[in-house]
Amino acid sequence: MPNSAIAIVIGHLGRDPVMKFTGQGTAVCDFSIATSVKRGDVQFTTWWKVKAWAKLAELCNSNLVKGAAVQVVGRVSTEEYTDKDGVLQKVLTIDAKEVTFLSERTAAPADHPRAQAAAATPRPGQYSALDVVMGASLNDDSDDIRF
């Protein structure tokens, strides 16, 4: 894939994920994550807009909540928009190919709807678009190579 920027970003969700569907019925999950670095006494935070697709989107939507720690691997790009004051803004975006859930299930309050849905899904763990394409079972612990 020439001329592509791929990033590995580890951070925390700034809000609960939002799931939508395309006109063809493909699931799309949007969420944002924050990464921080401290230089001296000053802490710098970078916000990343993340978009996951299909089964990966469904897994993210049912397992992630605001504050959850994640690792995202995917293609990086920028989006531009005009804010409410008419100022042109740029946002870093990642088209997620892999998402690793780093927080334990207990990170969300037990009465949170996503925490209840996540109880049936294994975590922490790594899920990728390739797993979905190859038909991998999330509960498959075998060492078999999938062809």
Side-chain angles (χ1 to χ4, degrees):
M1 207 187 302
N3 300 319
S4 219
I6 304 295
I8 300 171
V9 178
I10 299 172
H12 290 85
L13 270 70
R15 61 177 169 85
D16 284 340
V18 175
M19 179 108 108
K20 297 179 183 175
F21 293 89
T22 66
Q24 292 79 25
T26 303
V28 181
C29 183
D30 292 314
F31 56 95
S32 60
I33 60 175
T35 58
S36 298
V37 63
K38 191 170 185 177
R39 293 187 183 117
D41 293 337
V42 180
Q43 183 166 327
F44 297 92
T45 300
T46 302
W47 285 94
W48 301 79
K49 181 179 172 184
V50 181
K51 193 173 294 273
W53 296 85
K55 183 66 175 172
L56 186 58
E58 294 173 19
L59 288 167
C60 289
N61 187 60
S62 64
N63 285 282
L64 297 175
V65 294
K66 179 180 178 178
V70 295
Q71 173 182 294
V72 176
V73 178
R75 188 176 53 83
V76 178
S77 62
T78 58
E79 290 182 5
E80 294 181 346
Y81 70 95
T82 305
D83 68 12
K84 62 183 178 184
D85 297 324
V87 178
L88 184 65
Q89 300 287 334
K90 290 185 180 185
V91 178
L92 292 168
T93 63
I94 300 177
D95 186 16
K97 300 300 179 208
E98 294 180 8
V99 177
T100 303
F101 307 139
L102 302 175
S103 295
E104 294 297 324
R105 236 182 290 242
T106 56
D111 60 346
H112 192 286
R114 283 192 177 82
Q116 294 167 357
T121 305
R123 61 178 297 176
Q126 179 176 343
Y127 306 103
S128 71
L130 183 60
D131 288 334
V132 175
V133 171
M134 299 299 289
S137 167
L138 296 179
N139 297 317
D140 184 9
D141 291 332
S142 71
D143 292 331
D144 294 341
I145 298 174
R146 291 173 256 154
F147 291 98

